[in-house]
Amino acid sequence: MKLDEIDKRILSVLQRDGRIQNVELAREVGLSPSPCLRRVKLLEDAGIIDRYVAVLNPVKAGLPLSLFARVWLTAQDAETIDHFMAAMKKLPQVMECYIMLGESDALLRVAVSDLDDYRQFQSTHLTKVNGIQNVKTDVPSQVVKQTYALPLR
């Protein structure tokens, strides 16, 4: 599906406020409500809109600390990588997991309550049992920008 300018406007507004009422969305993008609703449905059916979620404040939710773990696996074969990916998908603390090309094999963003919580998580889950050889953890000192909105142009 090729996105036109109206689709991009719809998506930009929905990325800002996924709970916006269709009438208000239509007004913001310059459509009447029926065609706007039809377009949103097409975007959902095409999988461009994957799902709607609530973005939580991590501090108020009790998980103020995000750490980045660079992971080196025990091997580079498909079985080891598949086992690792399956294990990471099951861990709610793993907010993001990327298989990397470069120095490390994977990069994780992990949400925890504090450093003790992370130490427990690391010693329990980031081990050889899950195909992990080595882990280096980076602790951010300040969040400068964090967004979930794609830059549609």
Side-chain angles (χ1 to χ4, degrees):
M1 177 178 182
K2 180 131 170 73
L3 299 177
D4 64 17
E5 286 306 311
I6 294 174
D7 292 329
K8 290 177 183 178
R9 287 198 308 258
I10 289 170
L11 292 169
S12 292
V13 172
L14 287 174
Q15 285 187 108
R16 187 183 71 235
D17 181 4
R19 293 186 59 170
I20 190 170
Q21 296 294 315
N22 183 60
V23 172
E24 179 62 26
L25 175 61
R27 185 171 41 252
E28 280 200 42
V29 300
L31 289 175
S32 59
S34 291
C36 183
L37 190 58
R38 233 182 343 270
R39 279 181 178 255
V40 170
K41 178 76 171 120
L42 286 171
L43 292 165
E44 291 169 347
D45 291 346
I48 294 167
I49 297 175
D50 188 40
R51 65 189 181 277
Y52 297 91
V53 299
V55 178
L56 305 182
N57 179 316
V59 173
K60 292 181 179 180
L63 297 165
L65 189 57
S66 273
L67 301 164
F68 296 91
R70 291 176 287 137
V71 174
W72 286 261
L73 299 176
T74 56
Q76 312 274 298
D77 60 279
E79 183 180 336
T80 302
I81 294 169
D82 289 346
H83 176 71
F84 168 77
M85 290 189 308
M88 295 304 105
K89 287 178 182 178
K90 292 177 186 174
L91 298 171
Q93 299 93 330
V94 176
M95 302 298 296
E96 298 175 64
C97 175
Y98 302 94
I99 300 300
M100 304 297 287
L101 301 174
E103 184 183 344
S104 62
D105 296 316
L107 177 67
L108 310 176
R109 182 170 71 88
V110 180
V112 291
S113 59
D114 55 33
L115 285 175
D116 286 336
D117 191 20
Y118 178 73
R119 186 193 54 73
Q120 178 69 31
F121 169 81
Q122 183 179 9
S123 65
T124 304
H125 300 292
L126 301 184
T127 64
K128 287 191 192 308
V129 172
N130 288 327
I132 297 172
Q133 177 69 41
N134 191 22
V135 177
K136 302 261 183 187
T137 303
D138 295 314
V139 181
S141 64
Q142 182 178 3
V143 177
V144 176
K145 179 180 179 179
Q146 185 176 48
T147 183
Y148 301 98
L150 294 173
L152 301 174
R153 293 191 171 119

